[in-house]
Amino acid sequence: MTTTAELLKGAAELFPDEVVTQAHVRHLDLPLGAGRFALITLDNGLDHSKPTTFGPQSLANLNVAIDQVEKEAADGEIVGVGLTGKPFIFAVGADLKGVELLKRREDAVAIGKGGHDVFRRLSGLAVPTFAYYNGAAMGGGVEVGLHCSYRTVSAALPAFSLPEVFLGLVPGWGGCAILPNLIGADRAVSVIIENSLNQNKQLKGAQVHELGIADAIFEGADFLEQSLIWTSAVLKGELEVVRPEIDRGEAWDQAVARGKAVADGKVHGAAPAAYRALDIIAAAKNGDLGQGFDAEDEALADLIMGGELRSGIYAFNLVQKRAKRPAGAPDKKLARPVTKVGVVGAGLMASQLALLFARRLEVPVVLTDIDQARVDKGVGYVHEEIDKLLLKGRVNQDKANRLKALVSGSMDKAAAFGDADFVIEAVFEEMGVKQKVFAEVEAVVPEHAILATNTSSLSVTEMASKLRHPERVVGFHFFNPVAVLPLLEIVRGEKTDDASLATAFSVAKTLKKSAVLVKDAPAFVVNRVLTRFLGEVLRSIDEGTPVEVADRALAPLGLPMSPIVLLELVGPAVAHHVAGTLHQAFPDRFAVSENLGRVVEAGKRGLYTYDSGKPELDPEVAALFQVGDTVLTEEQVRDRALDAIAQEVRLMLDEGVVAEAQDIDLCLITGAGWPFHLGGITPYLDREGVSERAVGKRFLEPGVASVPA
């Protein structure tokens, strides 16, 4: 039979580039005369910007440390064992770079078994074990602590989660089996399923304690010291840790059912991870952890060999790495400082931008508009939003006062923008209006000021064409809601110079946005993809397919919302306008729906009513529609829409709209909320054979976002 050490040695050979975590054992005398104690510290030797992970060699190192303390415990040399991390980091789980390399199911099983075999030894020692969550803990980092007898958590801990389902895995080193048996199924479902699918929501130290995952909480400054005093009290019997009785009756089944409803709402059955995790939680009701660990091993192996996980890791790497080093961005040394920002317009979008610039850049921001009432309304909106942040505890009173003081309004562009370094317009989406605004702004701003446009579809080059200095105009396209969606499409016009572009990227970074460089092409990236796919859905409706059928067609992808709900969010008028812009540019591929035109003319805000609590076609909209008699099935609508997306992505790459397919995927993930399990879109198109059917070849090399050959 293969030993754990042999298993891990084999796995380590597959992963020579692992950043190895050491498990240092030191001994100390506990306070209050409680006895000699072994403390294991997990540390990869790098600072907190390179968090500690568990690859095969790292697990082997922990295994060796446990060999040592196991003998000491058996010989009566120690009274307990503690586990903690380096400053600011406990451990953040499995090293995903290693997972990407796996080609065979048996290697995937070895990863699951190796983690289980090492971690479960902590619960089998002759003395109690303690996990001290001193800093960020995720995935396997959380799970190694769950195998200990007791846990403490730092009040300063910023991030604690089981993010596996978000990536396309299950918590596979004990999380699915132990957590519901520790804190109850409902709370476990919240942590494993709900938080994970809610954009990988993190818990703070206080929440970890409230949920019952940690038995005690201490301040960050003297966390380890206080944890050791607490440990002494527990070991001496002066303090008894009482945990609530777990309800293994109907409440457990209800929790699993709630988890399924959450998963259905988020991924619509399109990604298997959440459902596999729920199966293990459901089976863990009998408290048999060994059986649960075996189920985790099998689920982990199946998912590691599946396309959704590979797409999930690909997407994760795009967001964590590529987004931080945008392809094609000029040298950041060329960026100029921005000490004051101007915003032309004071409507909702402009006001959201003003709030973001004030909060992130902490420089004066001035809004202008065509009358004082609009200016006052825009400034008022920003001040109200700052008050909301104060109420939520996101800023203190002093910070709120300073932010409010930074945001002002003026009717006089010369006074407002005379000393601005960066002016962004967010006015009506019409070329003539935007050109007029830029001409007025150019006349009053300093020579070095950047002129940015938040246009969603118009040509930045044409917008700058009548200016004396077109080289300082740049597209700076945000997505709504500005505070939530991270994407910023930065558009280089034909004359935009490197210094202006570098300044735009520098500002984007300070705004904490994921910037992608895009060519000045109609509708750039996200709106071009969405308009093409929405156009195909609307075309099928115009031809005679019932709205409900067409709207359900994309459900198997697990998109954040259905096409018709997306149309309502964007607004029929905006969608119709963008479709018109793209129809002018590419009349053979982008149609303008006459039915949508009628909806806009009638002033309708969407196609559905929600009077019954669920979406139903608005009878007034149905009366406006003139349709043909070609009725497609959901599958036919879906094939048509996916083929159209594949064609459009291929054309955008051929036109050089972005550097690579990865940038289109990054745009869809961060600007449209498309799920990680699709990898944006191109890995899904490759996986389902759509790429080859529609454009004759894959977008990505085999092994990128897929299992290596």
Side-chain angles (χ1 to χ4, degrees), residues 156 165 180 232 344 377 393 497 518 568 581 593 654 704:
V165 166
S232 301
V344 187
K377 188 179 177 189
D497 64 21
V518 303
E568 290 184 357
T581 304
S593 165
D654 292 346
V704 177

Side-chain angles (χ1 to χ4, degrees), residues 304-385:
I304 285 172
M305 299 315 289
E308 288 84 3
L309 170 69
R310 303 305 172 122
S311 296
I313 296 174
Y314 164 84
F316 183 77
N317 288 336
L318 291 182
V319 170
Q320 294 297 320
K321 294 174 185 166
R322 194 176 183 93
K324 292 175 174 59
R325 289 190 292 278
D331 186 338
K332 55 177 179 279
K333 293 194 194 77
L334 296 172
R336 294 193 284 260
V338 173
T339 60
K340 183 178 180 183
V341 172
V343 181
V344 187
L348 182 59
M349 191 66 175
S351 304
Q352 288 184 62
L353 296 181
L355 175 66
L356 181 70
F357 278 96
R359 282 192 72 195
R360 298 279 187 245
L361 270 62
E362 297 191 15
V363 300
V365 179
V366 188
L367 294 125
T368 66
D369 212 315
I370 52 174
D371 60 54
Q372 193 63 44
R374 291 178 199 223
V375 170
D376 293 344
K377 188 179 177 189
V379 174
Y381 168 87
V382 177
H383 286 191
E384 280 170 22
E385 291 299 309

Side-chain angles (χ1 to χ4, degrees), residues 358-569:
R359 282 192 72 195
R360 298 279 187 245
L361 270 62
E362 297 191 15
V363 300
V365 179
V366 188
L367 294 125
T368 66
D369 212 315
I370 52 174
D371 60 54
Q372 193 63 44
R374 291 178 199 223
V375 170
D376 293 344
K377 188 179 177 189
V379 174
Y381 168 87
V382 177
H383 286 191
E384 280 170 22
E385 291 299 309
I386 293 167
D387 285 335
K388 287 180 191 170
L389 293 171
L390 178 64
L391 281 172
K392 290 176 184 167
R394 303 271 292 279
V395 295
N396 60 27
Q397 186 67 61
D398 181 49
K399 182 76 176 278
N401 293 344
R402 277 189 291 124
L403 288 175
K404 281 186 186 178
L406 288 172
V407 180
S408 61
S410 172
M411 291 278 294
D412 183 346
K413 286 192 178 70
F417 303 151
D419 56 349
D421 306 301
F422 190 99
V423 179
I424 184 165
E425 69 73 25
V427 298
F428 187 67
E429 189 75 351
E430 216 221 49
M431 185 58 78
V433 176
K434 290 186 186 282
Q435 285 180 331
K436 180 171 177 285
V437 161
F438 269 166
E440 291 169 2
V441 172
E442 187 181 44
V444 298
V445 295
E447 288 283 308
H448 68 271
I450 306 297
L451 304 183
T453 168
N454 184 44
T455 182
S456 58
S457 60
L458 300 176
S459 166
V460 174
T461 302
E462 190 182 338
M463 212 177 290
S465 62
K466 297 181 180 175
L467 298 178
R468 292 194 314 279
H469 294 288
E471 70 277 1
R472 58 179 174 173
V473 176
V474 64
F476 214 61
H477 180 220
F478 290 87
F479 289 79
N480 217 344
V482 169
V484 178
L485 291 173
L487 179 64
L488 190 47
E489 289 178 335
I490 294 186
V491 188
R492 181 172 207 154
E494 280 174 23
K495 301 258 173 88
T496 308
D497 64 21
D498 281 354
S500 301
L501 204 59
T503 306
F505 274 100
S506 169
V507 169
K509 188 173 184 181
T510 312
L511 293 174
K512 298 187 178 173
K513 293 294 179 188
S514 298
V516 175
L517 179 63
V518 303
K519 187 176 156 186
D520 187 15
F524 317 127
V525 176
V526 174
N527 284 341
R528 182 162 161 185
V529 172
L530 294 185
T531 304
R532 181 78 201 273
F533 119 82
L534 199 51
E536 291 300 324
V537 173
L538 290 173
R539 181 160 73 96
S540 69
I541 293 169
D542 293 347
E543 289 174 0
T545 303
V547 172
E548 301 79 19
V549 173
D551 199 28
R552 281 197 305 269
L554 277 295
L557 275 73
L559 297 175
M561 60 191 76
S562 71
I564 303 304
V565 174
L566 172 67
L567 181 69
E568 290 184 357
L569 179 74

Side-chain angles (χ1 to χ4, degrees), residues 55-85:
Q57 186 56 55
S58 305
L59 286 171
N61 290 344
L62 178 57
N63 202 41
V64 170
I66 296 172
D67 285 342
Q68 179 186 334
V69 298
E70 183 178 57
K71 183 175 186 312
E72 291 169 355
D75 293 347
E77 293 171 16
I78 53 173
V79 294
V81 175
L83 188 66
T84 193

Side-chain angles (χ1 to χ4, degrees), residues 184-255:
D186 196 61
R187 288 177 164 192
V189 162
S190 292
V191 176
I192 294 169
I193 308 295
E194 193 168 21
N195 289 358
S196 197
L197 291 178
N198 193 7
Q199 290 302 308
N200 192 18
K201 183 183 172 193
Q202 300 294 319
L203 298 169
K204 300 272 195 285
Q207 294 167 299
V208 174
H209 181 236
E210 280 161 28
L211 283 166
I213 300 171
D215 302 303
I217 182 167
F218 301 108
E219 288 305 318
D222 56 353
F223 170 68
L224 188 57
E225 188 185 339
Q226 292 300 321
S227 291
L228 291 171
I229 293 169
W230 182 85
T231 297
S232 301
V234 171
L235 289 172
K236 290 177 75 176
E238 292 167 4
L239 191 142
E240 187 188 355
V241 174
V242 180
R243 298 189 182 126
E245 192 69 33
I246 301 300
D247 187 334
R248 298 183 186 282
E250 202 177 316
W252 195 292
D253 302 332
Q254 285 170 349

Side-chain angles (χ1 to χ4, degrees), residues 564-622:
I564 303 304
V565 174
L566 172 67
L567 181 69
E568 290 184 357
L569 179 74
V570 171
V574 173
H576 194 54
H577 178 80
V578 175
T581 304
L582 282 159
H583 176 67
Q584 282 179 316
F586 311 116
D588 56 326
R589 300 195 310 281
F590 289 86
V592 175
S593 165
E594 288 182 10
N595 282 326
L596 185 59
R598 294 184 191 100
V599 169
V600 173
E601 252 176 69
K604 303 294 289 183
R605 301 298 302 272
L607 271 56
Y608 288 146
T609 62
Y610 295 86
D611 300 340
S612 65
K614 60 180 195 289
E616 290 174 346
L617 184 61
D618 183 338
E620 291 178 19
V621 169

